[in-house]
């Protein structure tokens, strides 16, 4: 293995940080020696109506499988994110909104945000939304997205945010699965100067969602949109008839806070369910530790609230910690590739957190768009969503951070609620490409395919042997699927679906998914979902989808498609299929390569040999492995000969 450059903790960081190396190690020892004391202290960072006495109650075993944290505690998330800051920080900026148009930005203080949340909460109540009801939110990156989430939390409704890039079909599936009666959307979204027809998409989706009785429409672009009488209401027509005070609903720590759909290796997307107390404690704790956060600092996480990163590090973690959080409507390269850094300068951003795919795309534009800006306010950089290649890490460090800013590479998942492994800027020496070490209380373990525990420096499948407060509690409506997906592969352990290497210093290096999930520009997609979209097309008999390394996106989408015998392969059907998948799932799921395949490599029992398809997609022909078990080994020759052109 080549020499890895190590970046030691800068002295000033060790001095100012919440945790330096010794304190980090002490915290790790304390969780072992006194778990109840440690986790009780984590709970203390929140304001409780009733402080919990039951702290951790977990079993990953089949016989008595259950996960409960702070089970007798009572609290309200919106109180923790708003009310408790009012006395001392009511006039502090809570949200800085930077619009897609670089000439527009606005600020909301904690007082103003509180009033807006209460108003929306009252509007929801007036529409009949009660504790436990599900509300679907399909909004652009505007402050109202955070307002809508917190308004649900205030009255105990369970939000399901659907990313604005999803298609009508995907919205419909998510509404039906959790049976929401109410949808909050906007007339249109704006991203990179392009209009996203949000209301039209909702209208299309609702054709198959008869259970939805109300749609609340926020005016963003003021575009004319069709309104169905009795069902659709402009928020501007509702908000003035309600009060801007709303008593918070007392919630049990284990009451649901939100559902967020995410792709798995099989079946339709799963409704990942997070609860109130443990989730918020973990979002807040990790936000403070990983970003070494102090109240009032300007924090910018570029993720969309439609993904878990937006939930935990645009809204809940930062607001619980009295942050000034930036909500950015736009994209990294509009109007120019300097946009991120101009926004940092304009709002004096101190901590900047984004995805490797954005870094790689900007790196390709060269140093000049970065160097045209000051970036002096930035002290700390972060990444999330996929492995970062050392080259991109080094560019981020040298060019963006001018070698002054540590980089926290945070590994986690929708299922984990918030970060599980990451450097702490005052405690951990950095290695480019490694998410380094677990946070205190997090217990990673590497196992081989048979579940044998692996020790020392080695590659393996990444499991967690114990729970943490932010762990998901169930798959909405399908608890058995929750157990089967995460706890049955390696009994008694949570299996992440990721592979990882541990090096001689105990640092972890995530190598990517070991299941049929692919990570495209930091967006998680199940290959099964794309396959199911493809075979929904009239011309397609069969399809198999795999990922392949893509310079900017991390992974690209490679589709092998067997057409029906009466359909001729052509560029036009290829374009048609691409468009079809965009429409079925969303634009970000558009295939990069479509190869027409007269046959797919299958075992004699009919199982598609994906290993071979992956190798061909990766252009790694030296190592196709044993093809003798195939029903028809000749199909492989055809696939190799007609390999697709990678975009
Ligand atoms: C937060 C988020 C989760 C999957 C995860 C892993 C990959 C996330 C990473 C990373 C390497 C990191 N992933 N962070 N891989 N280094 N720092 O992204 O959640 O959308 O559910 O994706 O993303 O493969 O399993 P989610």
């Amino acid at each position: 293995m080549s020499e890895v450059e190590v970046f030691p903790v800068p002295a000033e960081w060790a001095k100012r940080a919440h945790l330096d190396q010794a304190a980090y190690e002490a915290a790790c020892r304390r969780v072992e020696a006194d778990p109840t004391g440690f986790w009780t202290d984590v709970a203390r960072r929140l304001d409780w109506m009733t402080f919990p006495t039951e702290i951790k109650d977990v079993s990953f075993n089949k016989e008595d499988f259950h996960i409960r944290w702070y089970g007798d505690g009572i609290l309200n998330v919106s109180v923790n994110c708003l009310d408790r800051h009012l006395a001392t920080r009511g006039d502090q900026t809570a949200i800085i909104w930077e619009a897609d148009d670089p000439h527009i930005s606005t600020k909301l203080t904690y007082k103003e945000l509180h009033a807006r949340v209460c108003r929306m909460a009252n509007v929801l109540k007036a529409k009949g939304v009660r504790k436990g009801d599900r509300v679907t939110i399909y909004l652009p990156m505007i402050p109202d997205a955070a307002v809508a989430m917190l308004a649900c939390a205030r009255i105990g409704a369970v939000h399901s945010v659907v990313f604005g890039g999803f298609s009508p079909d995907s919205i419909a599936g998510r509404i039906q699965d959790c049976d929401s009666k109410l949808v909050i959307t906007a007339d249109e979204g704006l991203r990179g100067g392009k209009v996203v027809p949000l209301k039209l998409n909702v209208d299309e989706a609702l054709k198959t969602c008869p259970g939805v009785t109300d749609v609340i429409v926020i005016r963003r672009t003021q575009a004319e949109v069709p309104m169905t009488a009795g069902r659709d209401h402009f928020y501007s027509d509702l908000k003035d008839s309600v009060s801007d005070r709303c008593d918070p609903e007392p919630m049990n720590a284990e009451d649901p806070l939100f559902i967020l759909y995410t792709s798995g290796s099989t079946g339709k997307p799963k409704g990942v369910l997070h609860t109130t107390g443990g989730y918020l404690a973990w979002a807040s704790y990790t936000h403070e530790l990983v970003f070494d956060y102090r109240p009032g600092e300007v924090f910018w996480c570029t993720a969309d609230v439609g993904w878990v990163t937006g939930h935990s590090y645009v809204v809940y973690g930062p607001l619980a910690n009295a942050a000034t959080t930036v909500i950015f409507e736009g994209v990294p390269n509009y109007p120019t590739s300097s946009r991120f850094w101009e926004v940092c300068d304009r709002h004096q951003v101190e901590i900047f957190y984004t995805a490797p795919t954005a870094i790689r795309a900007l790196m390709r534009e060269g140093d000049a768009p970065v160097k045209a800006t000051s970036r002096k306010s930035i002290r700390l950089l972060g990444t999330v969503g996929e492995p970062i290649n050392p080259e991109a890490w080094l560019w981020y460090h040298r060019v963006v951070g001018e070698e002054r800013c540590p980089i926290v590479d945070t590994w986690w998942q929708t299922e984990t609620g918030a970060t599980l492994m990451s450097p702490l800027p005052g405690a951990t020496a950095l290695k480019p490409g490694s998410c380094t070490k677990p946070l205190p209380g997090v217990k990673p373990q590497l196992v081989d395919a048979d579940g044998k525990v692996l020790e020392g420096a080695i590659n393996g499948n990444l499991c967690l042997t114990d729970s943490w407060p932010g762990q998901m509690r169930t798959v909405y409506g399908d608890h058995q699927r929750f157990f089967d997906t995460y706890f049955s592969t390696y009994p008694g352990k949570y299996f992440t679906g990721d592979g990882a290497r541990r090096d001689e210093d105990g640092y972890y290096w995530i190598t990517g998914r070991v299941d049929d999930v692919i990570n495209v520009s930091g967006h998680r997609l199940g290959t099964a979902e794309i396959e199911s979209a493809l075979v929904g097309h009239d011309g397609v008999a069969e399809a198999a989808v795999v990922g392949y390394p893509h310079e900017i996106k991390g992974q690209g989408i490679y589709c092998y498609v067997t057409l029906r015998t009466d359909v001729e392969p052509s560029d036009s059907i290829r374009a048609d299929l691409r468009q079809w998948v965009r429409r079925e799932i969303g634009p970000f799921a558009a295939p990069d390569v479509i190869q027409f395949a007269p046959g797919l490599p299958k075992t004699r029992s009919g199982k598609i040999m994906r290993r071979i398809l992956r190798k061909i997609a990766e252009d790694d022909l030296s190592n196709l492995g044993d093809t003798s078990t195939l029903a028809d080994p000749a199909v492989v020759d055809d696939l190799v000969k007609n390999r697709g052109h990678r975009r």
Side-chain angles (χ1 to χ4, degrees):
M1 201 159 300
S2 59
E3 264 309 297
V4 175
E5 197 176 349
V6 179
F7 294 78
V9 176
E12 68 275 21
W13 274 93
K15 211 160 93 197
R16 77 148 242 167
H18 287 294
L19 292 189
D20 62 11
Q21 191 186 346
Y24 164 71
E25 284 165 6
C28 294
R29 280 195 305 271
R30 175 153 185 242
V31 198
E32 296 299 324
D34 175 21
T36 303
F38 177 86
W39 294 118
T40 303
D41 282 351
V42 169
R44 280 191 224 287
R45 61 180 31 259
L46 302 182
D47 256 21
W48 299 80
M49 297 164 181
T50 307
F51 193 81
T53 60
E54 299 164 15
I55 300 304
K56 177 185 173 207
D57 179 11
V58 174
S59 164
F60 286 175
N61 295 320
K62 193 173 177 145
E63 308 75 61
D64 60 340
F65 178 66
H66 64 279
I67 303 168
R68 286 172 62 81
W69 283 89
Y70 311 129
D72 60 347
I74 309 279
L75 76 166
N76 182 283
V77 164
S78 78
V79 168
N80 276 279
C81 292
L82 302 168
D83 304 55
R84 67 165 163 161
H85 307 318
L86 291 183
T88 50
R89 300 183 170 269
D91 296 319
Q92 180 196 304
T93 301
I95 292 177
I96 298 175
W97 179 59
E98 169 82 14
D100 190 51
D101 176 340
H103 302 101
I104 302 172
S105 68
T106 56
K107 292 180 178 177
L108 278 179
T109 65
Y110 271 95
K111 264 189 207 146
E112 290 162 338
L113 182 61
H114 178 265
R116 281 178 64 167
V117 167
C118 288
R119 238 181 234 290
M120 194 174 298
N122 284 325
V123 165
L124 293 177
K125 274 193 182 168
K127 289 287 163 220
V129 178
R130 299 284 171 263
K131 178 174 179 173
D133 291 350
R134 279 77 57 212
V135 170
T136 295
I137 299 175
Y138 183 66
L139 282 173
M141 284 291 282
I142 54 178
D144 304 80
V147 171
M149 292 161 75
L150 290 161
C152 288
R154 191 144 193 104
I155 63 172
V158 182
H159 60 70
S160 161
V161 183
V162 177
F163 172 54
F166 276 115
S167 67
D169 260 12
S170 302
I171 306 166
R174 287 157 171 77
I175 290 175
Q176 291 157 2
D177 185 80
C178 70
D179 194 21
S180 320
K181 307 270 186 297
L182 187 141
V183 178
I184 305 175
T185 189
D187 44 14
E188 294 177 331
L190 270 183
R191 280 185 91 232
K194 295 198 196 87
V195 165
V196 187
L198 298 172
K199 175 62 167 61
L200 289 178
N201 287 350
V202 168
D203 286 343
E204 186 63 29
L206 293 194
K207 288 181 181 164
T208 57
C209 303
V212 172
T213 53
D214 291 279
V215 178
I216 296 177
V217 183
I218 312 253
R219 288 196 192 265
R220 167 60 187 96
T221 64
Q222 321 295 326
E224 278 236 18
V225 289
M227 298 291 278
T228 300
R231 188 194 70 184
D232 303 350
H233 327 272
F234 283 114
Y235 183 62
S236 48
D237 296 338
L238 303 174
K239 73 175 179 29
D240 294 329
S241 56
V242 297
S243 149
D244 63 1
R245 309 189 73 93
C246 172
D247 285 340
E249 188 72 35
M251 302 294 285
N252 183 275
E254 283 297 340
D255 282 335
L257 176 63
F258 66 83
I259 300 166
L260 184 57
Y261 286 86
T262 193
S263 298
S265 48
T266 54
K268 56 186 174 101
K270 295 182 282 273
V272 169
L273 185 123
H274 281 288
T275 57
T276 299
Y279 169 80
L280 192 67
W282 194 247
S284 154
Y285 176 68
T286 58
H287 175 258
E288 179 175 286
L289 233 61
V290 169
F291 300 106
D292 197 50
Y293 192 79
R294 279 173 190 69
E297 292 174 344
V298 181
F299 178 83
W300 182 15
C301 163
T302 68
D304 194 287
V305 292
W307 307 108
V308 74
T309 307
H311 281 60
S312 302
Y313 296 118
V314 175
V315 180
Y316 289 119
L319 294 178
N321 292 344
T324 295
T325 184
V326 178
I327 294 187
F328 176 47
E329 187 180 30
V331 295
N333 58 359
Y334 175 84
T336 73
S337 298
S338 292
R339 184 67 190 271
F340 270 177
W341 325 122
E342 283 167 4
V343 175
C344 287
D345 287 352
R346 178 149 54 245
H347 301 301
Q348 292 296 291
V349 169
E350 296 167 76
I351 305 166
F352 177 78
Y353 185 39
T354 197
T357 185
I359 298 166
R360 288 192 297 264
L362 293 173
M363 180 169 86
R364 195 168 64 165
E365 304 299 321
D367 300 1
V370 186
K371 293 201 164 142
T373 63
S374 153
R375 286 157 289 110
K376 283 285 170 285
S377 59
I378 306 180
R379 291 182 296 103
L380 181 62
L381 297 169
T383 73
V384 59
E386 43 171 333
I388 182 163
N389 47 314
E391 192 197 0
W393 194 103
L394 290 166
W395 183 82
Y396 197 32
H397 188 256
R398 180 174 53 81
V399 180
V400 176
E402 296 177 331
E403 297 179 9
R404 162 186 90 240
C405 309
I407 298 177
V408 288
D409 175 349
T410 64
W411 172 82
W412 56 294
Q413 311 178 296
T414 306
E415 294 88 336
T416 72
T419 303
L420 293 192
M421 291 206 268
S422 171
L424 303 182
T428 322
L430 309 172
K431 298 187 190 182
S434 168
C435 63
T436 74
K437 301 233 178 181
L439 298 188
V442 173
K443 299 188 182 141
Q445 187 179 67
L446 298 180
V447 300
D448 71 10
D450 303 321
K452 188 167 87 76
V453 177
L454 304 170
E455 308 289 351
I458 197 156
N459 243 304
N461 295 332
L462 179 61
C463 294
L464 296 151
T465 59
D466 204 348
S467 185
W468 61 98
Q471 183 168 27
M472 74 181 282
R473 298 297 196 266
T474 193
V475 170
Y476 186 78
D478 197 347
H479 199 56
Q480 189 61 42
R481 188 172 176 202
F482 176 49
F483 180 84
D484 292 346
T485 307
Y486 302 102
F487 301 92
S488 68
T489 317
Y490 303 112
K493 294 166 197 178
Y494 169 85
F495 177 42
T496 63
D498 280 340
R501 178 169 68 84
R502 189 173 44 224
D503 71 15
E504 46 297 330
D505 298 321
Y507 276 44
Y508 287 85
W509 303 70
I510 305 295
T511 51
R513 302 288 305 197
V514 295
D515 54 10
D516 291 319
V517 171
I518 53 180
N519 193 324
V520 181
S521 302
H523 298 161
R524 232 169 109 167
L525 280 164
T527 53
E529 274 172 84
I530 307 168
E531 287 163 8
S532 132
L534 284 167
V535 297
H537 186 282
D538 278 348
V540 175
E542 195 169 31
V545 174
V546 297
Y548 71 95
H550 186 288
E551 206 185 322
I552 304 290
K553 300 183 185 181
Q555 280 188 297
I557 303 173
Y558 196 117
C559 310
Y560 298 89
V561 172
T562 309
L563 294 171
R564 279 179 24 180
T565 43
D566 55 345
V567 181
E568 278 300 309
S570 68
D571 281 344
S572 97
I573 181 148
R574 186 177 275 122
D576 195 34
L577 287 174
R578 207 162 178 267
Q579 199 48 39
W580 175 265
V581 176
R582 284 173 68 94
R583 241 190 345 254
E584 288 285 298
I585 303 176
F588 63 92
D592 296 284
V593 185
I594 295 177
Q595 173 173 359
F596 295 118
L600 296 172
K602 292 186 186 161
T603 61
R604 288 191 194 99
S605 62
K607 224 168 136 29
I608 295 177
M609 303 252 310
R610 294 171 168 281
R611 179 179 51 79
I612 294 177
L613 295 177
R614 273 190 217 108
K615 292 282 179 204
I616 297 173
E618 285 165 12
D619 233 353
D620 176 10
L621 306 177
S622 60
N623 195 10
L624 288 182
D626 183 11
T627 55
S628 64
T629 56
L630 288 176
D632 178 8
V635 299
V636 174
D637 301 334
D638 177 84
L639 291 177
V640 169
K641 203 166 76 217
N642 295 307
R643 291 201 300 292
H645 168 67
R646 285 153 203 74
R647 290 164 179 268

